[in-house]
Amino acid sequence: MSACAPTRTAHSTRAERTHPAHSPPPAPHRRFRIAGADLSASIAVFLIALPLSLGIALATGAPLQAGLVAAAMGGIVAGWAGGSPLQVSGPAAGLTVVTADLIQRYGWRTTCAITVLAGLAQLGLGCLRVARTALAVSPAIVHGMLAGIGVTIAVAQVHIVLGGSPQSSVLDNLRALPAQLARLQPAAVAVSALTLTLLLLWPRIPGRVGRLLHHVPAALVAVTGATATAALTGLTLPKVDLPSWSSHALAGLPDGPVLGIAAAVLTTTLVCSVQSLLGAIAVDKLIASRPGLLGSRSTRVGRSDLDRELLGQGAANIVSGALGGLPVAGVAVRSSANVQAGAVSRNSTMLHGVLVVVAALLMVPILDLIPLASLAALVMAVGIQMVSLHHIRTVTRHREVLVYAVTTLGVVLLGVLAGVMLGIAVAVAVALHRLTRTRITHYEKEGVHHVHVRGQLTFLAVPRLSRILHLVPQSTHVVVELDGSFMDHAAYESLQDWQKSHTAHGGSVELTGRRSGTGLDTGAVLETQVEIPTSTSTSTSTSTGAVSRAQESESTALRGLGPAPADTAIADCRCRPWTPWRNHQCEVPRETPTTATLRPPKTADPTDTANSTEPPYTAQRKRKERTEPKETTELAEHVGQATNIEPTENPEHAEHTENTGRVGHVERVEPSGHQLVRGISAFQRNTAPLVRGELARLAREGQQPTQLFLTCADSRLVTSMITSSGPGDLFVVRNVGNLVPPPGEESGDDSVGAAIEYAVDVLKVRSITVCGHSGCGAMQALLASEPGGPRTPLKRWLRHGLPSLERMGDDSRPWARLAGRTPADAVEQLCLTNVVQQLEHLRAHESVDRALRAGALELHGLYFHVGEAQAYLLTGENGGELFDHVGVTDLTA
């Protein structure tokens, strides 16, 4: 289906036609419709684009019609073919310096030909699908390039603001500025000052009047006000002079040196592509702030297709250049105005281009009244805004201010292409410097020697590392802190050899580091009696063995540097917060053949011998065994307690091994309850330091949640994950089947009612959400239940779900349904119906009813499909029994 074909709404007043659930959807009727929001947005963007297009054409020295041609083609062609529906393309300020330089070197017709060639290059890049690769350029370089272009524009337009004409370069403009100040034109300065004043003050009008006036673009108000003032006062000023379209110059054959033309095409392609792609990503962020654009099935706007956007920009440049227009790129000012004005499809962008065409043909007498000084002041303000203080603070925080400054100065002094190349060279040099720069310090504190390594440990740092380590006296305790994320093989061997030597001479070594992914034995103390095994066998393991047997897995691994107590196995875990325990990869693997048994850690008890084969655990401490097809055995241990693995002579194990013939098979043995201990320990080490401040604030202020979230006890339903909530946000009640027993003594359960009363009357929550989910075991039990039988606690509890079962079987009531598809089976249908029914039970509670009547509470229904990881919200359409994608409608029940 075409990307610009309008989609049908999920529900229509027409009779629905039956359609098989899994067959391809029927082809929609292709009718071109323009939403009212698109029409109003296109007018707003047109009012901004018209003066800016003329101003940018003036700044480049091109014919003024060229700006209108580029604006029209950018809107129509790029809007129709581009991959970012709401991005508005046209002549961009970022291309002003490049285009002005091309016009001065090769003339206007050749510049148009270069624009066409740049469009063809963009088409080629789009076909090669390299749009994402172009974004690998450092943001500091991009921001520096735009800042340099902004400085160049502002300095050049100062001369027109003062009543003169700009020179060819920034240095020439700066040198000519004192002479220009000596002969400034008061009329031009007055009009420019009025333009800038209106441009700055219009968005800052306060109050209700200001909110109404803000719908009119400040740029249009500034230029209109300056034009009206100049016309009413009779000021004599240079004004816009649009010649007849019959004399408009079109593109000609390239005329100039081949290398120069090629460099010009490369520069134009680079600037146009990077600015358009970054603009598309910025538009995606703006769209994300408007949930309606992401959710509504009739107006849904997806993420930008960057490769298609490159193709659209290339097509627009080809057409614009061929028709004598400026180069085209995505324009941030117009795109943000388009989104903020409420556009819902690419029709707004295309319609704005049509309006530009109409204005260019019918509004020439009005456009000829605009003073050039007013347009120059407008473009100068745009150039100043391109030097963003926010970007400067960002690159400074990331220690890339050098790249930013060099790129900016390079663009100002040498040109865009040379400045960008210089910025890339500096960025590469800075990256290499950071990779190779390692600071190694050594100091003694309270008898303990500390060696702190900051940065990446590569072979270049080995001489300094070795020199510092050998300054440490023998037979001392040493703490080596590795503050980096990479270590190559040379540094690994150097550190390992020194560690062996130091421990052999009676010393001890403690290694600390940021991440377990580097193999650092965080907190591990290497005592003198520790023997570092050198075997790489994968079939045996010792209690004081190396942390890893796979030394060849990563060059950054330090897992042979010492033993791994249980707490080091989970130190600095890098698993995702939603990673299930069974998929955690942060514990240290230990391996043993099938003939291994578990034995408690050795203590000082003299009766405990190394040759003991006594069963290690009594009946009260049995361990749960789980076998997986792996070549490793992971042993979960209590924090601070190691578990030893030793061979056994148990004939049953030997017989099992002989019968199966799987001598190398390894059983994974997980002591019961230790997964929880390991998870808690990982929280204490990794997460607690990050949330301690927030939890301390909550402890002082008390809980103030705004939501009561009532959901099922199913382990697959992680409320904080699907709601992106944190501590203090949700007051959560969980039970089997997300049931809300009706109020009254006959219900036999007050726990849910007490939670509801406490949340509404004490915590003053403003919203209650009942969340069901797919594959609910309680709903399956309700469907499979039969009358009679013992009244177990589960059966007594599930009686609160019987009204949901009766509701689903009542043909007089509409069935709850999902938007876009029918429920998969009876279980899913009951899960949906149950949410609706439990909301009715909620309304029967006195506290809830009182808060609803007072307008202090809202009720929501939510359905989470586990397999799809998709949440559906209960809407108020058609009796309130439609579950639509979250973000589709307002949160009302």
Side-chain angles (χ1 to χ4, degrees):
M1 185 189 300
S2 172
C4 59
T7 57
R8 300 227 17 214
T9 56
H11 303 284
S12 174
T13 56
R14 300 180 182 179
E16 295 183 0
R17 287 176 288 185
T18 59
H19 179 69
H22 300 287
S23 62
H29 296 285
R30 295 178 178 271
R31 292 187 301 171
F32 183 75
R33 294 179 297 179
I34 297 179
D38 283 335
L39 180 60
S40 60
S42 66
I43 295 175
V45 176
F46 160 73
L47 295 177
I48 295 175
L50 190 63
L52 281 178
S53 300
L54 294 173
I56 291 172
L58 174 67
T60 61
L64 295 182
Q65 298 102 316
L68 299 177
V69 171
M73 295 304 102
I76 297 174
V77 179
W80 173 72
S84 181
L86 300 189
Q87 176 165 246
V88 181
S89 301
L95 295 165
T96 303
V97 176
V98 176
T99 309
D101 181 61
L102 294 180
I103 294 174
Q104 290 182 358
R105 289 189 181 186
Y106 305 111
W108 172 241
R109 292 171 64 88
T110 299
T111 300
C112 292
I114 291 173
T115 302
V116 173
L117 294 175
L120 291 173
Q122 286 180 303
L123 287 181
L125 293 175
C127 292
L128 294 176
R129 307 186 68 82
V130 297
R132 289 284 176 185
T133 307
L135 299 180
V137 181
S138 169
I141 297 175
V142 176
H143 298 324
M145 178 190 72
L146 295 177
I149 293 173
V151 170
T152 305
I153 292 173
V155 173
Q157 298 309 300
V158 166
H159 287 271
I160 302 179
V161 167
L162 298 177
S165 57
Q167 304 298 317
S168 58
S169 67
V170 176
L171 294 179
D172 292 339
N173 282 321
L174 291 175
R175 281 193 291 263
L177 191 57
Q180 184 63 59
L181 289 173
R183 58 176 189 273
L184 60 85
Q185 301 293 326
V189 173
V191 169
S192 301
L194 177 60
T195 303
L196 293 174
T197 301
L198 291 174
L199 195 64
L200 295 176
L201 296 183
W202 186 261
R204 293 171 172 79
I205 298 177
R208 185 176 181 181
V209 176
R211 288 194 296 271
L212 294 175
L213 294 178
H214 291 169
H215 293 290
V216 182
L220 178 68
V221 173
V223 174
T224 302
T227 302
T229 302
L232 293 176
T233 57
L235 295 177
T236 303
L237 289 169
K239 297 180 181 179
V240 170
D241 183 15
L242 290 175
S244 172
W245 284 101
S246 60
S247 61
H248 179 63
L250 303 179
L253 294 176
D255 184 16
V258 176
L259 291 180
I261 296 295
V265 172
L266 176 62
T267 304
T268 306
T269 303
L270 173 67
V271 178
C272 289
S273 301
V274 172
Q275 184 166 345
S276 299
L277 295 176
L278 293 177
I281 293 176
V283 169
D284 284 344
K285 295 179 181 179
L286 291 175
I287 293 174
S289 65
R290 288 179 53 194
L293 284 178
L294 295 176
S296 177
R297 300 183 65 85
S298 60
T299 60
R300 183 174 299 170
V301 178
R303 293 182 62 85
S304 297
D305 183 342
L306 297 184
D307 293 305
R308 179 179 172 180
E309 179 65 18
L310 208 52
L311 292 173
Q313 295 293 332
N317 272 313
I318 292 174
V319 178
S320 178
L323 296 180
L326 292 171
V328 170
V331 186
V333 176
R334 301 174 208 179
S335 301
S336 61
N338 191 37
V339 176
Q340 293 169 1
V344 295
S345 73
R346 63 179 70 245
N347 292 336
S348 64
T349 303
M350 298 167 61
L351 188 57
H352 124 271
V354 174
L355 293 177
V356 172
V357 172
V358 174
L361 296 176
L362 303 180
M363 295 178 60
V364 173
I366 298 176
L367 298 178
D368 285 343
L369 298 176
I370 300 176
L372 295 182
S374 178
L375 294 178
L378 177 64
V379 177
M380 183 181 70
V382 173
I384 293 174
Q385 291 173 354
M386 293 174 70
V387 186
S388 172
L389 294 178
H390 171 70
H391 291 158
I392 294 176
R393 286 193 293 266
T394 301
V395 298
T396 302
R397 186 168 61 250
H398 290 88
R399 298 185 300 168
E400 293 185 339
V401 67
L402 177 62
V403 178
Y404 179 90
V406 169
T407 305
T408 301
L409 292 176
V411 170
V412 170
L413 301 177
L414 304 177
V416 174
L417 183 61
V420 170
M421 293 297 105
L422 187 60
I424 292 176
V426 173
V428 172
V430 169
L432 292 176
H433 174 70
R434 291 175 179 173
L435 181 63
T436 58
R437 180 171 178 264
T438 307
R439 295 181 58 189
I440 306 175
T441 57
H442 168 232
Y443 61 93
E444 181 183 359
K445 182 178 180 181
E446 298 179 356
V448 178
H449 290 262
H450 296 264
V451 177
H452 192 180
V453 181
R454 297 181 179 88
Q456 319 310 320
L457 264 180
T458 65
F459 65 95
L460 297 175
V462 167
R464 281 180 294 151
L465 176 65
S466 179
R467 183 170 59 253
I468 294 295
L469 291 177
H470 283 83
L471 292 177
V472 177
Q474 297 181 354
S475 303
T476 57
H477 180 61
V478 184
V479 177
V480 180
E481 183 178 355
L482 302 176
D483 191 1
S485 60
F486 176 79
M487 175 183 295
D488 68 3
H489 187 69
Y492 168 83
E493 284 195 347
S494 176
L495 189 56
Q496 185 185 44
D497 292 343
W498 169 82
Q499 172 208 326
K500 291 180 180 180
S501 174
H502 189 76
T503 55
H505 288 81
S508 61
V509 179
E510 180 180 346
L511 297 176
T512 63
R514 284 185 177 181
R515 50 183 293 185
S516 60
T518 57
L520 303 182
D521 295 329
T522 307
V525 180
L526 310 184
E527 301 296 345
T528 58
Q529 68 269 24
V530 172
E531 176 183 358
I532 306 300
T534 58
S535 172
T536 58
S537 171
T538 60
S539 61
T540 59
S541 175
T542 63
S543 60
T544 57
V547 175
S548 175
R549 292 290 182 265
Q551 295 184 3
E552 70 275 11
S553 61
E554 294 183 14
S555 62
T556 61
L558 291 180
R559 300 185 179 183
L561 296 184
D567 56 346
T568 67
I570 53 177
D572 203 13
C573 176
R574 287 301 178 104
C575 294
R576 301 285 189 179
W578 55 84
T579 304
W581 283 336
R582 69 170 182 269
N583 293 336
H584 272 231
Q585 301 297 324
C586 51
E587 68 272 5
V588 177
R590 298 190 180 181
E591 300 166 355
T592 181
T594 55
T595 57
T597 60
L598 295 177
R599 194 168 65 85
K602 293 187 178 183
T603 63
D605 188 352
T607 63
D608 187 11
T609 63
N611 297 325
S612 174
T613 58
E614 181 179 352
Y617 296 99
T618 63
Q620 290 80 7
R621 294 181 57 83
K622 289 184 178 180
R623 302 298 185 182
K624 178 182 177 182
E625 298 187 359
R626 186 169 67 235
T627 303
E628 295 186 0
K630 289 188 176 182
E631 290 295 316
T632 60
T633 298
E634 298 177 358
L635 303 178
E637 302 158 350
H638 286 297
V639 178
Q641 177 182 355
T643 301
N644 298 330
I645 305 174
E646 292 194 355
T648 181
E649 298 178 3
N650 192 324
E652 295 182 1
H653 287 283
E655 181 181 355
H656 171 74
T657 304
E658 182 178 353
N659 292 338
T660 58
R662 301 177 63 186
V663 178
H665 175 65
V666 179
E667 289 185 350
R668 176 174 175 173
V669 183
E670 184 71 64
S672 61
H674 288 195
Q675 286 181 326
L676 181 63
V677 173
R678 188 173 63 242
I680 295 173
S681 181
F683 165 80
Q684 292 297 147
R685 288 180 175 273
N686 307 316
T687 308
L690 303 178
V691 301
R692 187 169 286 120
E694 177 65 14
L695 292 179
R697 183 190 66 81
L698 291 172
R700 293 192 305 270
E701 300 176 0
Q703 64 166 330
Q704 297 176 348
T706 60
Q707 313 277 333
L708 168 58
F709 200 85
L710 196 151
T711 188
C712 184
D714 193 293
S715 62
R716 298 167 296 179
L717 211 61
V718 184
T719 57
S720 60
M721 181 179 69
I722 65 176
T723 60
S724 298
S725 56
D729 292 334
L730 300 180
F731 187 72
V732 181
V733 175
R734 306 188 69 152
N735 59 52
V736 177
N738 47 275
L739 301 178
V740 181
E745 297 180 359
E746 69 278 0
S747 68
D749 185 279
D750 287 332
S751 62
V752 178
I756 295 172
E757 180 182 347
Y758 183 77
V760 175
D761 292 342
V762 179
L763 298 179
K764 305 296 183 183
V765 297
R766 299 192 297 270
S767 170
I768 301 179
T769 300
V770 176
C771 178
H773 67 96
S774 60
C776 181
M779 300 301 104
Q780 296 178 32
L782 274 175
L783 286 172
S785 63
E786 297 180 358
R791 296 284 292 174
T792 64
L794 180 59
K795 279 192 174 183
R796 288 196 300 272
W797 170 253
L798 289 181
R799 76 182 186 278
H800 303 302
L802 292 176
S804 302
L805 195 60
E806 296 172 357
R807 185 189 190 99
M808 189 179 74
D810 188 353
D811 295 335
S812 63
R813 293 188 175 188
W815 277 17
R817 63 190 187 280
L818 293 171
R821 68 175 178 88
T822 58
D825 50 27
V827 175
E828 186 169 50
Q829 182 65 63
L830 183 56
C831 292
L832 298 171
T833 305
N834 183 57
V835 173
V836 179
Q837 183 64 37
Q838 300 311 315
L839 285 173
E840 289 194 3
H841 291 180
L842 261 178
R843 293 185 180 94
H845 284 259
E846 181 182 354
S847 57
V848 174
D849 180 65
R850 184 171 57 251
L852 286 174
R853 283 188 280 104
L857 185 66
E858 295 177 349
L859 300 185
H860 307 315
L862 196 67
Y863 174 75
F864 184 75
H865 194 288
V866 177
E868 297 176 356
Q870 175 65 55
Y872 296 85
L873 187 68
L874 180 63
T875 70
E877 300 180 17
N878 298 330
E881 303 215 10
L882 170 69
F883 287 82
D884 211 340
H885 295 79
V886 169
V888 175
T889 59
D890 294 332
L891 294 178
T892 56

